[in-house]
Short mmCIF file of all heavy atoms in Angstrom, two decimals:
data_model
loop_
_atom_site.label_atom_id
_atom_site.label_comp_id
_atom_site.label_asym_id
_atom_site.label_seq_id
_atom_site.Cartn_x
_atom_site.Cartn_y
_atom_site.Cartn_z
N TYR Q 336 -11.80 -22.10 -107.77
CA TYR Q 336 -11.81 -22.28 -109.21
C TYR Q 336 -10.82 -23.32 -109.60
O TYR Q 336 -9.82 -23.53 -108.96
CB TYR Q 336 -11.54 -20.90 -109.87
CG TYR Q 336 -12.58 -19.83 -109.55
CD1 TYR Q 336 -12.30 -18.99 -108.53
CD2 TYR Q 336 -13.72 -19.73 -110.25
CE1 TYR Q 336 -13.22 -17.96 -108.20
CE2 TYR Q 336 -14.66 -18.77 -109.93
CZ TYR Q 336 -14.39 -17.88 -108.88
OH TYR Q 336 -15.29 -16.90 -108.58
N THR Q 337 -11.02 -23.98 -110.70
CA THR Q 337 -10.15 -24.92 -111.21
C THR Q 337 -8.78 -24.37 -111.53
O THR Q 337 -8.76 -23.25 -112.07
CB THR Q 337 -10.68 -25.69 -112.44
OG1 THR Q 337 -10.88 -24.66 -113.52
CG2 THR Q 337 -11.99 -26.38 -112.13
N PRO Q 338 -7.71 -25.01 -111.22
CA PRO Q 338 -6.30 -24.48 -111.48
C PRO Q 338 -6.05 -24.43 -112.97
O PRO Q 338 -6.70 -25.08 -113.78
CB PRO Q 338 -5.42 -25.38 -110.74
CG PRO Q 338 -6.17 -26.61 -110.58
CD PRO Q 338 -7.59 -26.31 -110.51
N MET Q 339 -4.98 -23.64 -113.34
CA MET Q 339 -4.61 -23.48 -114.69
C MET Q 339 -3.66 -24.62 -114.99
O MET Q 339 -2.48 -24.35 -115.08
CB MET Q 339 -4.00 -22.13 -114.91
CG MET Q 339 -4.93 -20.97 -114.57
SD MET Q 339 -4.12 -19.40 -114.45
CE MET Q 339 -3.47 -19.16 -116.15
N THR Q 340 -4.15 -25.76 -115.39
CA THR Q 340 -3.36 -26.90 -115.78
C THR Q 340 -3.82 -27.47 -117.08
O THR Q 340 -4.96 -27.30 -117.51
CB THR Q 340 -3.41 -28.03 -114.69
OG1 THR Q 340 -4.77 -28.56 -114.53
CG2 THR Q 340 -3.04 -27.49 -113.33
N ALA Q 341 -2.96 -28.26 -117.71
CA ALA Q 341 -3.28 -28.86 -118.98
C ALA Q 341 -4.44 -29.91 -118.87
O ALA Q 341 -5.25 -30.05 -119.74
CB ALA Q 341 -2.05 -29.54 -119.61
N GLN Q 342 -4.48 -30.64 -117.71
CA GLN Q 342 -5.45 -31.59 -117.55
C GLN Q 342 -6.89 -30.94 -117.47
O GLN Q 342 -7.84 -31.43 -118.14
CB GLN Q 342 -5.25 -32.37 -116.24
CG GLN Q 342 -4.17 -33.39 -116.36
CD GLN Q 342 -4.12 -34.29 -115.13
OE1 GLN Q 342 -5.03 -34.30 -114.25
NE2 GLN Q 342 -3.08 -35.03 -114.97
N HIS Q 343 -6.97 -29.84 -116.75
CA HIS Q 343 -8.28 -29.18 -116.68
C HIS Q 343 -8.70 -28.52 -118.02
O HIS Q 343 -9.80 -28.57 -118.45
CB HIS Q 343 -8.29 -28.11 -115.60
CG HIS Q 343 -8.48 -28.61 -114.18
ND1 HIS Q 343 -9.62 -29.21 -113.80
CD2 HIS Q 343 -7.61 -28.76 -113.15
CE1 HIS Q 343 -9.48 -29.59 -112.54
NE2 HIS Q 343 -8.24 -29.28 -112.10
N ALA Q 344 -7.67 -27.94 -118.68
CA ALA Q 344 -7.99 -27.35 -120.03
C ALA Q 344 -8.45 -28.38 -121.01
O ALA Q 344 -9.43 -28.14 -121.79
CB ALA Q 344 -6.69 -26.68 -120.56
N TRP Q 345 -7.90 -29.56 -120.98
CA TRP Q 345 -8.34 -30.63 -121.92
C TRP Q 345 -9.73 -31.10 -121.61
O TRP Q 345 -10.61 -31.25 -122.53
CB TRP Q 345 -7.37 -31.83 -121.79
CG TRP Q 345 -7.50 -32.90 -122.77
CD1 TRP Q 345 -8.08 -34.19 -122.52
CD2 TRP Q 345 -7.20 -32.90 -124.13
NE1 TRP Q 345 -8.11 -34.91 -123.68
CE2 TRP Q 345 -7.56 -34.20 -124.68
CE3 TRP Q 345 -6.61 -31.95 -125.03
CZ2 TRP Q 345 -7.34 -34.46 -126.06
CZ3 TRP Q 345 -6.44 -32.24 -126.31
CH2 TRP Q 345 -6.75 -33.55 -126.84
N ARG Q 346 -10.10 -31.17 -120.35
CA ARG Q 346 -11.44 -31.57 -119.94
C ARG Q 346 -12.44 -30.38 -120.25
O ARG Q 346 -13.59 -30.65 -120.55
CB ARG Q 346 -11.49 -31.94 -118.48
CG ARG Q 346 -10.61 -33.15 -118.18
CD ARG Q 346 -10.47 -33.28 -116.66
NE ARG Q 346 -9.61 -34.39 -116.30
CZ ARG Q 346 -9.17 -34.62 -115.06
NH1 ARG Q 346 -9.58 -33.85 -114.06
NH2 ARG Q 346 -8.41 -35.67 -114.75
N HIS Q 347 -11.97 -29.15 -120.01
CA HIS Q 347 -12.85 -28.02 -120.35
C HIS Q 347 -13.24 -28.07 -121.81
O HIS Q 347 -14.42 -27.74 -122.11
CB HIS Q 347 -12.05 -26.67 -120.11
CG HIS Q 347 -11.86 -26.37 -118.66
ND1 HIS Q 347 -11.14 -25.27 -118.28
CD2 HIS Q 347 -12.28 -26.92 -117.55
CE1 HIS Q 347 -11.08 -25.17 -116.95
NE2 HIS Q 347 -11.78 -26.17 -116.45
N GLY Q 348 -12.32 -28.40 -122.66
CA GLY Q 348 -12.68 -28.39 -124.12
C GLY Q 348 -13.78 -29.28 -124.47
O GLY Q 348 -14.71 -28.89 -125.28
N LYS Q 349 -13.89 -30.48 -123.87
CA LYS Q 349 -14.88 -31.45 -124.18
C LYS Q 349 -16.24 -30.91 -123.67
O LYS Q 349 -17.25 -30.90 -124.45
CB LYS Q 349 -14.69 -32.79 -123.53
CG LYS Q 349 -15.69 -33.80 -123.85
CD LYS Q 349 -15.38 -35.12 -123.17
CE LYS Q 349 -16.43 -36.19 -123.45
NZ LYS Q 349 -16.17 -37.47 -122.82
N VAL Q 350 -16.32 -30.37 -122.47
CA VAL Q 350 -17.57 -29.82 -121.90
C VAL Q 350 -18.04 -28.58 -122.73
O VAL Q 350 -19.21 -28.46 -122.97
CB VAL Q 350 -17.39 -29.52 -120.40
CG1 VAL Q 350 -18.64 -28.84 -119.86
CG2 VAL Q 350 -17.08 -30.79 -119.61
N ALA Q 351 -17.05 -27.76 -123.04
CA ALA Q 351 -17.43 -26.56 -123.83
C ALA Q 351 -18.05 -26.93 -125.15
O ALA Q 351 -19.02 -26.33 -125.63
CB ALA Q 351 -16.18 -25.65 -124.04
N ALA Q 352 -17.46 -27.89 -125.90
CA ALA Q 352 -18.06 -28.38 -127.06
C ALA Q 352 -19.48 -28.90 -126.95
O ALA Q 352 -20.34 -28.65 -127.74
CB ALA Q 352 -17.09 -29.45 -127.73
N GLU Q 353 -19.68 -29.67 -125.94
CA GLU Q 353 -20.99 -30.22 -125.70
C GLU Q 353 -22.08 -29.14 -125.42
O GLU Q 353 -23.18 -29.14 -125.96
CB GLU Q 353 -20.99 -31.23 -124.54
CG GLU Q 353 -20.21 -32.49 -124.86
CD GLU Q 353 -20.10 -33.43 -123.62
OE1 GLU Q 353 -20.34 -32.90 -122.52
OE2 GLU Q 353 -19.65 -34.55 -123.73
#
Side-chain angles (χ1 to χ4, degrees):
Y336 300 93
T337 59
M339 299 166 64
T340 64
Q342 284 190 12
H343 280 292
W345 188 253
R346 298 168 182 172
H347 287 175
K349 181 181 179 181
V350 175
E353 293 174 346

